[in-house]
Amino acid sequence: MKNLSFTLYQNNYHNCGRLATSAMLKRLNVPLNKIWGQSGLFYKVNESGFKISPYFRHIISEFENYGIFLTEERFTDFKECYKAIKRLIDSGKTVALETDIYELPYCIYYQDHHELHEIEIVDIVGDELIICDHYYHYYGPIKFLELEKNFNSCRDHITHATCKIYSFEVNYELLYKNELFNFKRVIDENLKVMSGVPVGDLIEESTKENNKEVYIGISAIEPIGKIIEKAVQMDKEAAAWQLYEVYRELKETANSRYNFHVLLNSYSFPQVGSAFSEISQDWSVAANLTTRSMVTENFENLYPRIKSRFEKVIRKEESVLKELDSLLKNI
C-alpha cells in the first residue's frame, strides 16, 4: 500500500533526483536525516570536458549499506516503459522517471531548453499518470500522450539511448542494525576523500586512461576556481555554458555539506555539524557569484570576490577535517 500521507516533499538542499528519491524513501519510513552523508570533492578533465562532484559512491552501492535496494529499468519505447510503471504502481510502489523539462507543460522552462529531470509517479487513473514533481512543486495529472512525448524528447535530446525508471525496497532489519556502522563509515570515507584518497567509485574514476587532470579532495578546489578564471577568455556563449555547469556543481557541493550537517546533528554532534553548515553557505556564495558573473557579464569585477571565497573555503575545509578526525577517534 502506497503511503500518500503527503504529496510534495520540499528540501532546498537536494536536486530533482534526490528530491524524488527522498520522497520515495520517506513513503517507506526511511529516516532521511541519516542517509545523505557523502561530502567529498572530485574534479577531473578529459577530452569531453570536466566533471565536478562531491559524491564518491553511486547511490545504488551507497544505499545497499543501509539495506535500501534500488531497482532500475531502462527503456527505448515508452509503451514498454508504461507497462513497467503500471506493474510497479499496481504492486503498491511509487516510481521515479527520467524526463526532459522541455516537454513538461507545467514547468516554467516548457519548450525553452532541454535538461534532464526526474519526477515521481504515484498513481495511474484512466489515461493519466498522477505525478509529484518535487522540484517544480507540481502535484497532479499528466496525460499518457504528454508523458510519451516527454519520454521521446528525453531519449532523443538528452540520454541519446534509453530513459530509466527506478523504485525502492527496504530491509528494515539492515537499516537499523547497521546505523552506527554506517555513520562511522561515512565519516571515515569523507575524511579520506577530502584528504586526497580515492574511495568507492573514485578508485576507478581517477585512473581512467582518457583523464588529463584528476584532483581529489581539498586539492581540487583551486583548479576548480581556475575553470572560472579561464571562462573570461572564451566567447560569451561558451563561457555562459561553462559557468552554468560550474554553478550547478558548486551548488551540489554546497548541498552535500548541508546534508552532512543534518546527519551530524542527528547523531548529536552539533558543533561539527555547525561547521559544515557554514561551509555549505560559503560554497553557495561561490556558486551564486559564479552565476551572477555569467548573467551580468561583469566577470572581471566579480572574479576577485569568487577567488577570495574559494580561498576561504579551502581554509574552512582544512579546519573541519581536523574536527572530523577527532570526532571519528572518539566515537
Side-chain angles (χ1 to χ4, degrees), residues 18-119:
R18 288 174 178 250
L19 279 171
T21 292
S22 292
M24 295 165 76
L25 293 178
K26 184 178 180 182
R27 298 189 201 284
L28 295 171
N29 298 312
V30 171
L32 299 181
N33 59 346
K34 295 186 176 178
I35 60 170
W36 299 113
Q38 294 187 60
S39 184
L41 190 61
F42 176 67
Y43 167 56
K44 75 171 185 177
V45 180
N46 56 29
E47 301 98 22
S48 59
F50 63 85
K51 176 182 178 180
I52 303 169
S53 177
Y55 308 121
F56 43 85
R57 286 191 188 278
H58 190 280
I59 195 172
I60 293 178
S61 62
E62 174 64 11
F63 277 2
E64 284 177 353
N65 292 305
Y66 296 87
I68 301 169
F69 300 96
L70 183 154
T71 301
E72 181 180 293
E73 300 177 63
R74 291 185 172 274
F75 301 90
T76 57
D77 178 72
F78 182 68
K79 291 181 176 61
E80 292 302 312
C81 180
Y82 176 81
K83 290 178 184 177
I85 292 171
K86 189 174 188 310
R87 166 174 48 83
L88 291 165
I89 292 291
D90 289 346
S91 74
K93 296 182 178 181
T94 65
V95 186
L97 170 69
E98 284 184 327
T99 60
D100 180 359
I101 62 172
Y102 187 86
E103 293 293 352
L104 288 175
Y106 59 81
C107 180
I108 58 173
Y109 300 112
Y110 177 55
Q111 297 191 339
D112 179 75
H113 69 276
H114 298 281
E115 188 172 324
L116 190 63
H117 186 58
E118 289 185 15
I119 60 174

